[in-house]
Amino acid sequence: MARQWSEGHSTPILCVGASPGPEGLLASGSEGGEVTVWSQEGTIIGRLTLPGEEDSTSVVFSPAAPGQLYVSHGDAVSVLDPRNLRGPVEEFQGAGEEEINALALNETGSALAVADDSGAVRVLELPGGKVSRTLRRHTNICSSVAFRPHRPNNLLSAGLDMQVMLWGLQKTRPLWTLNLQDVAEEEDDHQQRPGQLFNPPLAHCVSVASCGNIVGCAAEDGRVHLMRIGSGCKLEQQGAVKAHSQGASQAHFVHLPSHPYWLVTGGNDGQVALWDLSKHPVVAPEGKAKPRVTPRRKGKHKTKRKEQSQDIAETPLKAEAEKEEAEVEDEAAAAEDVNFDKPGPKLSISHGDKVNWLCPGVLKGEHCVVVADQSCSLTVYPLSHL
């Protein structure tokens, strides 16, 4: 079923982007500054090596103007015409403070977010590329950025400091920050067997569902951490899916109107998986599963224990009955968590090589995922038979 797209690159492909729309093009970037534009059939439309020959780390098409392709290389961003790859139409030199890892455009194509090795996120006004905001809160490399659909002034960022942040672009401090290490430690307190080791949850890739309220973040601990944003941009709930046996490098929502909560993930274990998150407690909180909100839960537990000890002193039998009832509820909630995880992914593909980038898209009317790995070729897997 898989198709190989070859001969577009002479170096390992690092990133892939798809143009919106049914007839949209694809672009890929690789080590040494190579950029290739592909037709929907996998035919090479154009190839270019950017000046300076620094790695092409991110490629994004403008949603407002399909004739504009943004490519990051070193600390610069080049604007290309994908149908005429003779050279950059425009250059934003020094767009990042250090090497850029990821780009994101808002839905109107009026703002470009740039995440770099210094941990900074810069927001550039388009057209022109003038820096309108510099957001500094990450204490390590900022690896990924994503704008919220329907909220062009809301931006998510994730980094190797294990933090996910939501920003309102009117301010230079985040609206909230979630430390994935705190979350992972809290979950592992309940689940971890003695001697079991987990990689730290370095955050590699953040994606937002089309509704704008559900966030997925692929992390080095093999999990995809999920967050739900409520009214007032508050972090309402969080949870996770144990998606990969090694680090999860990629997570992207598949923007299918009929399946808004399908998420495709890739990892260092060479697996590509498609998940239906519509029944996950973070996505469907009205279900029976209990909310798992952190990191304030620890404090609440302490208060609960205090209240319980007072109750026990007053009415031992009542307290014992309540305790048993609570344990039954906890077991039921745990069983529901297990039941969500048991079905596993809707589709699991043994790709066999470490995944550098995933790009869901529609090719010739068929939903597909395009995979870049350590090789110089792209692999296209169809999702249409689901």
Side-chain angles (χ1 to χ4, degrees):
M1 297 286 278
R3 302 193 295 279
Q4 289 281 127
W5 290 6
S6 304
E7 296 174 13
H9 292 271
S10 62
T11 54
I13 300 171
L14 302 176
C15 55
V16 189
S19 174
E23 297 303 314
L25 303 173
L26 269 90
S28 51
S30 70
E31 293 176 5
E34 292 183 359
V35 180
T36 301
V37 175
W38 309 81
S39 73
Q40 298 224 332
E41 295 84 6
T43 308
I44 296 165
I45 287 177
R47 288 179 65 181
L48 173 72
T49 300
L50 291 165
E53 299 190 14
E54 291 176 287
D55 295 352
S56 302
T57 52
S58 187
V59 288
V60 287
F61 285 89
S62 168
Q68 290 176 346
L69 172 66
Y70 295 83
V71 183
S72 57
H73 52 108
D75 66 358
V77 175
S78 290
V79 188
L80 307 175
D81 177 350
R83 293 199 174 272
N84 185 16
L85 277 188
R86 288 191 183 156
V89 178
E90 205 173 352
E91 288 259 23
F92 306 146
Q93 291 295 341
E97 294 183 2
E98 293 182 20
E99 186 178 0
I100 297 166
N101 299 305
L103 301 174
L105 280 160
N106 67 357
E107 286 178 312
T108 58
S110 62
L112 175 72
V114 173
D116 72 25
D117 277 0
S118 75
V121 178
R122 279 183 167 174
V123 181
L124 279 57
E125 289 175 1
L126 298 176
K130 183 187 167 199
V131 177
S132 63
R133 278 275 181 273
T134 301
L135 311 172
R136 298 181 208 279
R137 274 296 189 277
H138 287 286
T139 56
N140 203 326
I141 288 167
C142 185
S143 47
S144 184
V145 278
F147 280 95
R148 278 181 76 189
H150 318 301
R151 299 224 178 201
N153 289 320
N154 270 197
L155 178 73
L156 285 128
S157 65
L160 302 195
D161 57 358
M162 301 178 270
Q163 313 266 0
V164 178
M165 302 182 189
L166 176 67
W167 304 83
L169 295 186
Q170 294 85 354
K171 297 178 179 174
T172 54
R173 63 175 186 274
L175 299 170
W176 52 255
T177 298
L178 181 67
N179 185 324
L180 299 185
Q181 191 168 31
D182 290 348
V183 173
E185 280 173 5
E186 201 161 300
E187 288 186 2
D188 294 342
D189 283 346
H190 304 298
Q191 298 172 5
Q192 192 166 355
R193 296 186 294 275
Q196 190 177 3
L197 293 174
F198 284 112
N199 290 329
L202 313 176
H204 292 306
C205 180
V206 69
S207 179
V208 191
S210 54
C211 65
N213 298 329
I214 303 296
V215 180
C217 180
E220 189 60 30
D221 59 359
R223 292 181 174 107
V224 174
H225 296 264
L226 301 173
M227 290 137 260
R228 187 172 80 246
I229 303 171
S231 59
C233 294
K234 290 189 179 119
L235 174 59
E236 202 165 75
Q237 198 165 1
Q238 67 75 33
V241 176
K242 185 77 176 82
H244 293 273
S245 60
Q246 295 178 37
S249 56
Q250 289 279 293
H252 296 274
F253 281 98
V254 181
H255 294 305
L256 261 171
S258 53
H259 299 287
Y261 302 115
W262 278 12
L263 182 83
V264 65
T265 66
N268 297 344
D269 56 0
Q271 296 291 316
V272 174
L274 177 70
W275 305 84
D276 181 1
L277 301 177
S278 57
K279 291 185 174 64
H280 191 282
V282 171
V283 176
E286 63 278 0
K288 289 177 189 171
K290 289 184 169 186
R292 291 190 291 166
V293 180
T294 61
R296 288 180 288 271
R297 193 169 66 173
K298 286 179 182 171
K300 284 182 184 170
H301 279 333
K302 278 180 191 163
T303 316
K304 238 183 206 170
R305 278 202 291 272
K306 232 182 191 174
E307 288 165 5
Q308 278 175 356
S309 62
Q310 285 168 359
D311 287 346
I312 288 165
E314 288 161 23
T315 53
L317 287 171
K318 182 185 168 200
E320 196 58 38
E322 283 176 357
K323 188 181 165 195
E324 281 177 17
E325 195 175 40
E327 280 172 2
V328 169
E329 282 178 16
D330 285 348
E331 279 169 21
E336 279 157 11
D337 271 353
V338 169
N339 287 344
F340 171 77
D341 291 334
K342 254 185 191 169
K346 283 188 72 64
L347 178 67
S348 190
I349 300 163
S350 292
H351 178 69
D353 203 353
K354 184 180 164 193
V355 173
N356 281 343
W357 205 281
L358 293 178
C359 178
V362 181
L363 299 176
K364 305 294 287 177
E366 183 177 53
H367 282 278
C368 301
V369 58
V370 183
V371 181
D373 54 31
Q374 310 295 291
S375 74
C376 307
S377 301
L378 293 171
T379 310
V380 181
Y381 294 103
L383 304 176
S384 55
H385 58 284
L386 293 172

